[in-house]
């Protein structure tokens, strides 16, 4: 699976926008917190900080791993950025699992975010195992799937914006988006990275 320059640019701009807009959480200012979860975040600032730090770092670094020029000209930096990305996914995933039980929307949305965190950790781990085993093609597939899950930070906010603009019930929308922000991403990534069988000989 190859990404076009336009696709890479859109992905990078959206990711960078979410990274910049998320920096406010590091101030630990209650005014910066999600209004419906302000009290919860104030009582869970450690896991919130862990999750945001990991997720923001992964989202900032992820797009650069799709740069063919970086891989070809600076392979050492590709490996270093990749290692940092995977560590960030680990940190962010642990923080997300920690926060999932207190997610806004109750058990259903909490299960959605826990599923996202688990899938994020699994895809990252599979990508690491593949590259350590020398299975480069499999490594690329798993890392594409991993970043599709990292990009849930983007799709979640776009979906919330759409739901709010449409005047939909916020709690119901948020509960659905807890699943919709990542399941379609993962399904599409798996479909695009599926192993294609070679054509049968004539």
């Amino acid at each position: 699976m190859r990404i076009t320059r336009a696709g890479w640019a859109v992905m990078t701009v959206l990711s960078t926008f979410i990274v910049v807009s998320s920096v406010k959480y590091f101030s630990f200012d209650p005014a910066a917190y999600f209004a419906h979860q302000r009290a919860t975040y104030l009582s869970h600032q450690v896991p919130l900080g862990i999750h945001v730090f990991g997720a923001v770092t992964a989202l900032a670094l992820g797009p650069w791993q799709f740069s063919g020029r970086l891989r070809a000209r600076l392979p050492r930096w590709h490996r270093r950025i990749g290692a940092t990305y995977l560590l960030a996914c680990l940190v962010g995933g642990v923080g997300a699992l920690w926060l999932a039980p207190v997610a806004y929307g109750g058990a259903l949305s909490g299960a959605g975010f826990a599923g996202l965190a688990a899938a994020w950790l699994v895809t990252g781990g599979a990508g690491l195992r593949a590259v350590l085993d020398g299975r480069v093609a499999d490594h690329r597939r798993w890392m594409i799937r991993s970043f599709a899950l990292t990009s849930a930070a983007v799709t979640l906010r776009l979906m919330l914006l759409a739901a709010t603009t449409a005047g939909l019930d916020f709690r119901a929308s948020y509960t659905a988006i807890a699943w919709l922000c990542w399941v379609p991403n993962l399904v599409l990534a798996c479909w695009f990275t599926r192993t294609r069988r070679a054509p049968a000989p004539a």
Side-chain angles (χ1 to χ4, degrees):
M1 176 183 175
R2 290 188 177 183
I3 188 169
T4 64
R5 288 185 179 181
W8 184 84
V10 170
M11 174 179 66
T12 304
V13 168
L14 288 174
S15 297
T16 302
F17 176 77
I18 298 303
V19 168
V20 172
S21 64
S22 298
V23 170
K24 62 184 180 183
Y25 286 103
F26 293 116
S27 69
F28 294 101
D29 180 0
Y33 294 159
F34 175 33
H36 296 78
Q37 281 283 84
R38 186 168 290 126
T40 300
Y41 286 169
L42 285 171
S43 61
H44 293 79
Q45 292 195 75
V46 172
L48 177 66
I50 290 172
H51 170 62
V52 172
F53 177 77
V56 164
T57 303
L59 193 60
L61 295 178
W64 299 99
Q65 292 301 87
F66 289 86
S67 172
R69 184 175 299 180
L70 178 67
R71 291 196 303 271
R73 297 183 179 181
L74 299 168
R76 182 175 298 178
W77 276 104
H78 173 74
R79 290 192 294 270
R80 288 174 177 174
I81 293 172
T84 306
Y85 169 84
L86 285 173
L87 181 59
C89 289
L90 174 62
V91 171
V94 169
L97 284 175
W98 197 343
L99 285 172
V102 295
Y104 178 73
L108 188 56
S109 59
F113 289 125
L116 168 58
W120 200 18
L121 293 171
V122 168
T123 54
L128 177 61
R129 178 62 183 270
V131 76
L132 291 177
D133 289 345
R135 294 179 285 112
V136 177
D138 287 339
H139 168 70
R140 288 177 180 172
R141 292 188 187 97
W142 282 111
M143 296 315 295
I144 289 171
R145 295 163 189 168
S146 171
F147 191 70
L149 294 170
T150 302
S151 298
V154 176
T155 51
L156 180 142
R157 285 161 179 80
L158 292 176
M159 289 179 175
L160 284 177
L161 177 61
T164 302
T165 303
L168 301 179
D169 179 77
F170 187 82
R171 186 181 180 89
S173 299
Y174 192 84
T175 301
I177 291 170
W179 294 89
L180 294 175
C181 70
W182 67 274
V183 173
N185 289 14
L186 182 58
V187 170
L188 285 173
C190 288
W191 187 80
F192 279 117
T193 59
R194 68 193 186 282
T195 303
R196 294 172 174 80
R197 294 183 180 181

